[in-house]
Amino acid sequence: CLGGLFNLLLLKAVVPIGVLLLLWVGLFGTRVRHEAGHALWRSARRSLRELLPAILWVLIIFCTSVSASSFSAFHCRRFIVDGSRRSREFLHASLDIECEANNAHYELRALAYAVIVIWPIGCLVGLAALFVAIRKTVLSRTPD
């Protein structure tokens, strides 16, 4: 329906980020209209702060699913072709893709590497940055 595992992985990786960006642009646009005299940077920071709960929910909900989908691009399954013990390997997630034998698998692996950098590693880095940014507030136990 979507055109294969490559398109499915791309869709799973991009849609949550795209939805968050659309929400942020909408919040930012309403902030700019209501705070016409303030700086754009201030409006951007406030709209990101309002969107932070949604960002955290998206990270929690989608990170494991997207990560599992991206790591599935590396799991191959070996099949014995004939009685001479000759074998071929196919991708476990999509048996129409032969591992290490065609461009489709190499393209899928390249996309999977990019998604791994964006989602699992990006989620950890983003959460670490968030915790560093709010550590003074948390340690002083005062709401911001």
Side-chain angles (χ1 to χ4, degrees), residues 75-91:
H75 182 65
C76 293
R77 185 171 180 186
R78 180 172 295 169
F79 293 97
I80 297 175
V81 177
D82 54 19
S84 67
R85 306 288 288 165
R86 201 180 109 228
S87 64
R88 292 170 62 186
E89 290 185 345
F90 293 91
L91 199 61

Side-chain angles (χ1 to χ4, degrees), residues 110-125:
L111 177 64
Y113 283 127
V115 170
I116 288 169
V117 168
I118 293 170
W119 275 96
I121 296 172
C123 286
L124 291 174
V125 169

Side-chain angles (χ1 to χ4, degrees), residues 45-65:
R45 283 184 57 196
R46 285 187 178 179
S47 59
L48 274 175
R49 187 175 290 165
E50 287 178 7
L51 193 61
L52 187 60
I55 293 171
L56 290 174
W57 276 108
V58 166
L59 289 179
I60 290 168
I61 292 170
F62 288 101
C63 189
T64 55
S65 172

Side-chain angles (χ1 to χ4, degrees), residues 2 29 40 47 62 87 97 109 126 129:
L2 294 174
L40 289 176
S47 59
F62 288 101
S87 64
I97 299 175
R109 284 179 53 181

Side-chain angles (χ1 to χ4, degrees), residues 1 5 14 37 46 50 58 65-66 69-70 74 82 97 115 139-140 144:
C1 180
L5 191 60
V14 171
R46 285 187 178 179
E50 287 178 7
V58 166
S65 172
V66 173
S69 295
S70 62
F74 304 104
D82 54 19
I97 299 175
V115 170
L139 291 174
S140 66
D144 187 19

